[in-house]
Amino acid sequence: MAEQKNVKREALLVPLDPNGNAETMFLCVNGKNMLIKRGENVEVPAEFAEVYRNAQIQQAAAMQVQRAAMSQDTFI
């Protein structure tokens, strides 16, 4: 991705893949793509950091809903 001037950048640390399958994470914002190296602090445009944080928040919320649904199941 070509570097742009005056683009706000943020540090981002994407954890290592627990399964060891992926060394990078793919992020896409409005048609712009980026591969982020896992396990290293990297500087990325702010919109990519925001997309990553939002995805993590949504994943945590989905897990909470799944756990609540599983605790309500009754087995016959």
Side-chain angles (χ1 to χ4, degrees), residues 5-18:
K5 293 182 180 182
N6 301 323
V7 173
K8 184 177 176 188
R9 300 180 72 80
E10 292 183 22
L12 180 66
L13 173 65
V14 177
L16 294 172
D17 181 1

Side-chain angles (χ1 to χ4, degrees), residues 41-56:
N41 265 324
V42 294
E43 291 281 323
V44 298
E47 63 264 23
F48 285 91
E50 180 181 2
V51 163
Y52 177 76
R53 285 191 307 270
N54 289 342
Q56 296 306 301

Side-chain angles (χ1 to χ4, degrees), residues 2-64:
E3 292 297 319
Q4 298 174 1
K5 293 182 180 182
N6 301 323
V7 173
K8 184 177 176 188
R9 300 180 72 80
E10 292 183 22
L12 180 66
L13 173 65
V14 177
L16 294 172
D17 181 1
N19 299 319
N21 295 331
E23 293 181 11
T24 59
M25 172 172 272
F26 175 80
L27 296 176
C28 182
V29 177
N30 296 328
K32 293 187 265 180
N33 306 318
M34 182 174 281
L35 286 174
I36 308 297
K37 185 149 177 82
R38 291 177 174 272
E40 293 183 13
N41 265 324
V42 294
E43 291 281 323
V44 298
E47 63 264 23
F48 285 91
E50 180 181 2
V51 163
Y52 177 76
R53 285 191 307 270
N54 289 342
Q56 296 306 301
I57 291 167
Q58 290 299 315
Q59 186 176 26
M63 288 175 68
Q64 288 176 343

